[in-house]
Amino acid sequence: MKNSIKVERAKNNITQAELARLVKVSRQTINAIELGKYVPSTLLALRMAKVFNASVDEIFQLEEGDFD
Amino acid sequence: MRKIKLLPRWCRMVGILLLLPPLVMFTINPEVAFGDPIFGSPEDYMINGTVINLVDDSEGEWVFFKVIQNDLINELMLSMMIVGAWMIAFSRIKGEDEFSERLRLEAMGAAMFWNALILLILNFLIYDGLFLYVMIYQLFSYLLIFSLIFALRLRKERKELGYEE
């Protein structure tokens, strides 16, 4: 699964630390999600979408092979 | 969302303080587990108490709920080791969140595997009465292996994810 959190952060001028504070996780967790090392829970994905005022599928997209 | 129930952060330090003394003594002299002290004679350290023995077979047949006199020092030490290891394993970390919860669960799975593998290997390397010490160690080794794997994974991830890109 790929995501556009980094792009959304840049658009909204938000640092990882600020996003982490807003969605109530650690900054390392935000970094892990951005790097694709960790797939967040639905709840966290929804919280992030709310912060960016976007829908979840605008931020997270399935990649080829995600159905395998 | 349901989260894993964990102990407060300060419990980790209490756990270390509880675990270390009996663990060091057990490592120096495994007989400690049966009430033999490292220094002096067992009589110097006895804590005699009246306890309920769930199943007693000392007279050749099983007797349930028998009241007996027992030296409680080894029960106390084993309790300190188990409770200490448990407190270390299940205390919150700084910045506990769903990512650390996943690391915790992965570390638990890995600890189950390694603990079972170590037991399997020792099963073919240690025989007779000495194997009893392996069994005693197994009472808390799972928690220790879990804590070690979790700490290492957490350290690795924090190092790798520490820098904002």
Side-chain angles (χ1 to χ4, degrees):
Chain A
M1 192 170 80
K2 58 184 179 179
N3 66 73
S4 57
I5 297 171
K6 205 170 173 176
V7 177
E8 292 294 334
R9 276 201 304 111
K11 271 198 244 170
N12 290 274
N13 199 20
I14 293 176
T15 63
Q16 283 185 345
E18 282 167 337
L19 178 60
R21 187 177 52 79
L22 290 168
V23 296
K24 293 188 171 67
V25 292
S26 68
R27 194 174 56 76
Q28 282 88 352
T29 301
I30 298 294
N31 204 2
I33 298 167
E34 275 190 17
L35 295 171
K37 288 186 78 171
Y38 174 61
V39 177
S41 67
T42 314
L43 185 67
L44 182 52
L46 284 164
R47 276 195 216 145
M48 284 178 159
K50 191 160 187 157
V51 167
F52 294 132
N53 204 17
S55 61
V56 172
D57 57 1
E58 282 176 82
I59 303 171
F60 298 96
Q61 299 89 32
L62 287 170
E63 280 182 302
E64 222 175 283
D66 277 347
F67 279 102
D68 294 344
Chain B
M1 197 170 83
R2 284 183 69 189
K3 290 183 176 175
I4 300 173
K5 296 265 189 297
L6 295 166
L7 298 165
R9 274 179 66 200
W10 55 265
C11 287
R12 181 177 301 268
M13 191 45 72
V14 177
I16 291 169
L17 293 174
L18 276 176
L19 174 73
L20 276 183
L23 185 65
V24 168
M25 283 193 267
F26 178 68
T27 308
I28 295 170
N29 178 14
E31 293 289 328
V32 160
F34 305 109
D36 277 4
I38 293 174
F39 308 109
S41 63
E43 290 75 24
D44 299 335
Y45 299 91
M46 270 188 169
I47 306 172
N48 272 315
T50 306
V51 292
I52 296 168
N53 193 3
L54 188 65
V55 185
D56 185 278
D57 68 344
S58 58
E59 286 160 22
E61 60 180 40
W62 282 20
V63 179
F64 294 94
F65 300 105
K66 189 180 176 186
V67 177
I68 59 164
Q69 285 291 313
N70 187 46
D71 175 20
L72 298 173
I73 194 84
N74 49 348
E75 279 80 14
L76 187 70
M77 284 185 58
L78 192 59
S79 301
M80 282 169 72
M81 283 199 270
I82 293 171
V83 173
W86 180 71
M87 288 177 96
I88 294 168
F90 299 115
S91 295
R92 292 176 71 85
I93 55 155
K94 195 180 173 186
E96 184 84 39
D97 61 12
E98 60 176 58
F99 183 52
S100 61
E101 270 186 10
R102 195 192 73 171
L103 292 181
R104 210 176 267 283
L105 290 173
E106 283 177 1
M108 271 184 195
M112 281 178 84
F113 171 80
W114 286 110
N115 196 46
L117 186 69
I118 291 168
L119 180 62
L120 189 67
I121 291 168
L122 292 178
N123 183 35
F124 291 103
L125 292 177
I126 295 174
Y127 295 92
D128 301 326
L130 274 180
F131 194 74
L132 193 58
Y133 300 134
V134 174
M135 288 162 70
I136 292 168
Y137 185 71
Q138 282 281 318
L139 292 173
F140 56 89
S141 62
Y142 168 71
L143 291 168
L144 289 187
I145 294 168
F146 159 68
S147 298
L148 184 70
I149 293 173
F150 181 54
L152 290 174
R153 282 291 313 274
L154 201 63
R155 193 185 145 130
K156 181 175 166 273
E157 294 296 344
R158 280 189 170 161
K159 212 172 171 181
E160 283 178 14
L161 301 169
Y163 304 100
E164 187 162 356
E165 292 188 358

